């Protein structure tokens, strides 16, 4: 091997790894700092074409990598700066579209040592202490979810989508003909999980006020004629609504249906004594999806699935002679392969463990409370502004609103104006705002996950929405196809 | 929020993030350095009980996290050191059990900026430049896999297990009654994917010399009576064998069967002009699984699925109004949701892109060649040692062998000795060696993924195997149940 390749290929682990990382990481932090200043806003300006041109300017007419490399230092410096300059940064309050959190520095720092040592969570001989720390972390989460259960458990997933898949899978194993049932407010991953698992498409139950109600659920289960797994939601993607969990659990129990709660958004409100009552009845669920990359402030991925009875997870057991041979398990080596549907698996539990240990449960709860309180303040600011219209009081940290100008136009044109305002702000990089399609049209959505920002940080964004709506209104109205 | 919680909850992004990371990352690098010295071997000594005791000594009788946190600095310092002291380190040549690579420092450093900015790859407005860089990376991989195809494509996965799942899923969509068919040498994830997808268990075809052969495959397909998806392997987990891909592709074509190749281990040998011929016929596959967290030297996860026809990926399309509304897509916002079965998705492509750009394709190929050459050297060293027996010449970088002492015992006792040698070395932390159960018994396995180690680095490990086998032989023989 040529000496220059050996130099580029320095390892992150071993006795010298920390020194090599100490040389390289300052380059990426410098790229992060410079790219952030270069961007100068929540997102890059110019939309997809400008971003693609920025990448092309770096690579020229060459592909990303030709036969010969540019070396570690140059690649890191250039691409880190490019990434920072061309990203939307959730640490900027004006980046508030999605359940897309700004990660804590403590979590990102923890990932350095996890990445360097690269424990793989599928066998003890690849992850001795990492698997033990994961056990501590999932025990903590399981007890948070199921404070009364004698043997709750949890596993780490890539996110709510995989957790919802596991929720349906655990229902399918004892009952192959199980029928998924969920509200129309459920996340698209529920239908996607059913599709992946070869189950029928979920039976969709109409919602009222964005929530799945016990009466229509009961009616559905009464006439279903098949075993059911009901998916309820604790924090919908569109509005942050929480289904009436205890009442739904009662209905499920009466009909022998399994209950999975998608608490990917709202679950970690359990860390707050003040907010916990919102999740009343959650521990009646058979399984619960949570995401520490939403509230939890982890970089993706940091999903979790908690179950009230650890025995339920036995359905995931699998044997592979090279990973969990019977005689190794008998000799006391923990069998980890059945803790996931993946095989090689990142130690995402490590940075979650570090973060929980750093903040404490109450500290985590305080951050969740902060976001919810800020959402309430932002909602009040919107309500007080006659040029904006609030959809409704936020339940968690999601605020839906639209410019009043949109209401002055025919419905379809008003919706188009709302969508155009969003795209215009996005293309300018000024603000990254989400959208939600509700029964009464298209709304702008702020999903507030910034654990420090206050209402004052959101006033400029609200102002931009009004200004942009005013600037676009005539054009949108003029181009509207008469209905 | 109390001021101390605000301090612990400093963000990794924004204008100040790089400074906070520059304060915290030295603590984890220090923990990495100290923990590595403390460990003093490839792995921790004492086995599961000692490792669990080490964690308990840190947390005391408390759980990992109580109501109050210990702060970012303490949590990072203590847990980083604990992780390093209690991990098996693939950067130590004596840690050679699994397809578990020592990550390059350049890849780990790149992850810092990716983690700080936290792009989520499911929508353009969460990942503007990250999605563009992913497009460049997957184009590079797709062209590497399919140099002749007009429109190849690739998507990023969590690893070979998810890639194999996608391979079967893409086969299932146009043919719901598809039957998976694979050699007995296939990875356990193929059967697991069939189970998840609600497909029948794979039809297992007997192998010869650890490889799936065209004649028995042809016989199976001839009599199957259903559409088939054949899974071939380019680099088996047990021995690194590569199936005769071109011949298998011919058989599949004749029978109208779809072909998926699990090249999770061997795929990136495509980067080496010297090794590429081993993969002859790979581009005849409909889909290919690759893992850059094996050869590729990324921290987990870094999986890929390449397809010869980008149109095949249309089966993954999904619509969610909040992520890819029709009018947004029409207005030019790229629709990314159908690039994965996950929703929120890590920017693993970023560090892969940085690594490929740093090393170049040839540089990556040189690292693969180095591992394969070292495996050949280690095999020669084993062959030259009368106290060891070599299973066979390595194809890639996997070397199977066993202590000759095991051959002097009855078969079952010999196997037990081999397994005991492995566990004894693991529990001492001296060496992390794998195992493979072959037709003729249990073998020790070295999977050489260290891109710098040479045969000299493995001689102590081979010596330990002999010494340990000699020390245990009498005990194992004495305790054997007479057969």
């Amino acid at each position: 091997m040529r000496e220059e390749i050996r130099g580029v290929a320095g390892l992150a682990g071993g006795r010298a790894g920390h020194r090599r990382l100490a040389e390289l990481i300052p380059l990426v932090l410098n790229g992060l700092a410079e790219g952030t200043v270069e961007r100068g806003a929540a997102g890059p300006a110019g939309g997809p074409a400008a971003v693609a041109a920025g990448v092309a300017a770096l690579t020229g007419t060459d592909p990303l990598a030709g036969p010969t490399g540019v070396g570690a230092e140059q690649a890191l410096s250039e691409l880190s700066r490019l990434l920072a300059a061309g990203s939307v940064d959730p640490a900027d309050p004006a980046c508030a579209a999605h359940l897309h959190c700004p990660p804590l520095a403590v979590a990102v720092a923890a990932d350095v040592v996890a990445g360097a040592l690269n424990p793989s969570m599928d066998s003890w001989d690849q992850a001795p202490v990492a698997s033990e720390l994961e056990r501590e972390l999932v025990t903590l989460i399981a007890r948070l979810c199921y404070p009364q259960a004698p043997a709750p458990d949890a596993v780490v997933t890539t996110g709510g989508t995989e957790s919802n898949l596991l929720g349906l899978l655990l229902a399918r194993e004892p009952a192959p003909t199980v029928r998924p049932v969920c509200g129309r407010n459920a996340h698209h991953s529920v239908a996607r999980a059913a599709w992946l698992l070869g189950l029928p498409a979920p039976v969709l139950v109409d919602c009222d006020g964005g929530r799945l109600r016990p009466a229509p659920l009961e009616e559905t289960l009464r006439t279903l004629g098949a075993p059911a797994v009901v998916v309820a939601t604790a924090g919908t993607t569109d509005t942050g609504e929480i289904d009436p969990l205890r009442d739904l659990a009662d209905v499920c129990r009466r009909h022998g249906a399994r209950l999975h709660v998608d608490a990917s958004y709202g679950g970690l409100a359990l860390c707050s004594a003040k907010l916990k009552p919102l999740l009343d009845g959650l521990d009646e669920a058979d399984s619960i999806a949570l995401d520490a990359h939403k509230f939890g402030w982890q970089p993706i991925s940091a999903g979790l699935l908690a179950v009230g009875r650890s025995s339920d997870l036995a359905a995931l057991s699998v044997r592979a002679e090279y990973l969990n041979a019977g005689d190794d398990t008998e000799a006391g080596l923990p069998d980890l392969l059945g803790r996931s549907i993946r095989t090689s698996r990142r130690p995402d539990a490590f940075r979650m463990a570090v973060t929980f240990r750093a903040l404490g449960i109450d500290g985590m709860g305080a951050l969740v409370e902060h976001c919810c309180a800020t959402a309430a303040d932002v909602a009040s600011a919107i309500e007080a502004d006659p040029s904006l219209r609030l959809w409704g009081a936020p339940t968690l940290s999601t605020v839906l609103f639209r410019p009043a100008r949109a209401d002055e136009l025919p419905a379809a044109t008003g919706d188009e104006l709302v969508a155009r305002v969003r795209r215009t702000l996005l293309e300018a990089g000024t603000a990254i705002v989400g959208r939600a399609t509700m029964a009464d049209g298209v709304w702008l959505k702020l999903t507030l996950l910034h654990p420090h920002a206050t209402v004052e940080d959101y006033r400029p964004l609200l102002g931009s929405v009004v200004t942009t709506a005013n600037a676009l209104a005539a054009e949108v109205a003029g181009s509207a196809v008469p209905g």
Side-chain angles (χ1 to χ4, degrees), chain A residues 399-415:
Chain A
V399 184
L400 258 54
F401 69 110
R402 47 189 262 163
R405 280 303 281 267
D407 297 333
E408 297 162 12
L409 300 168
T413 315
D415 287 350

Side-chain angles (χ1 to χ4, degrees), chain A residues 74-91:
Chain A
Q74 186 182 331
L76 281 171
S77 295
E78 287 180 352
L79 287 173
S80 295
R81 184 181 174 135
L82 185 75
L83 186 70
S87 284
V88 299
D89 186 351

Side-chain angles (χ1 to χ4, degrees), chain A residues 9-25 112 116-117:
Chain A
L11 300 179
R15 295 221 167 208
H18 70 100
R19 280 193 294 273
R20 185 64 180 143
L21 288 171
E23 287 166 3
L24 295 179
I25 289 175
V112 173
L117 293 160

